Amino acid sequence: MVLSKHGEREKRILSLFRIAVLISGSGSNLQAIIDFTENETVSNFEIALVVSSREGAYGLERAKKHGIKSAVIGKDNTDKLLEALSENNIDGIVLAGYLSILPPSVINAYENRIINIHPALLPQFGGMGFYGLKVHQAVLDSGVPYTGASVHIVDCGVDTGAVLIRGVIAVLPDDTAESLQKRVLGVEHTIIVLAVKALADGDTDKLKQKPLMLISDSDRKGVRTYAKEFKELGEKLIDADSEEL
Ligand code: GRF
């Protein structure tokens, strides 16, 4: 088949990786993904659907403002969720502040194609009960000198899937759970976009073997030392201002 120039372009556009972003609240990570797709001339994915587990989530407003299709699907309505994903030809799913556990039927249908963002350096401070400010308070109580965020593949456990990317920041002496939450969110907005791009590029297996570590506070010795330990474990370190991003 011979395609005209226009036809080739159409074909390329049609073949963008279609993601569904699942949210329950503010949706600032969703916004970071939207901003990327709107500001970058080349994106290998598009947001085809936003699903909120509850009415009134601010993320729904963000979707509306940017002309993105959205739906509210309660956490127990698995059939409706699977139907919406299939009707919208979804290739991959991004959990961005989605406060429900996906049932195995969804996880199996999209095996290795679902990612989640968590506001701590997994495997630390993850699992049941670690959400919102509780995570940051636990970090402060433990006295660790660094924290951050992780994007991982979703499997049937809670926060147990392979980590693809981590972003690290130092815990400062006067940090509160709220201040940590704010600074960690800043890191999240960078690594979520990197992870979605990797998912769309089919690079997740590569990242599972060698996760990325983004050092966003690289002048701090604690973070460097921490990052070095990961390097010894085979992780690839990149600076927050690296051209690789
Ligand atoms: C983020 O901290 C994310 O790590 C966690 O839920 C929060 C969602 O924030 N899973 P937002 O709705 O994207 O602003």
Side-chain angles (χ1 to χ4, degrees), residues 25-30 96-98 116-119 185 188:
S26 153
S28 69
N29 280 287
L30 165 66
Y98 185 63
N116 176 51
I117 184 149
H118 183 77
L185 254 186
E188 292 187 33

Side-chain angles (χ1 to χ4, degrees), residues 12 36 39 42 60 69-71 80 92 102 113 120 124 141 143 151 167-168 191 214 226 234:
R12 266 208 312 274
F36 174 80
N39 299 334
V42 185
L60 288 168
K69 192 169 172 184
S70 64
K80 195 171 167 198
L102 284 180
R113 288 182 293 143
Q124 288 181 316
D141 293 345
V151 179
V168 195
I191 66 171
L214 182 74
Y226 175 73

Side-chain angles (χ1 to χ4, degrees), residues 52-54 72-78 80 98 100:
S52 171
S53 62
R54 49 185 183 213
V72 177
I73 303 177
K75 64 182 172 114
D76 295 326
N77 208 339
T78 306
K80 195 171 167 198
Y98 185 63
S100 302

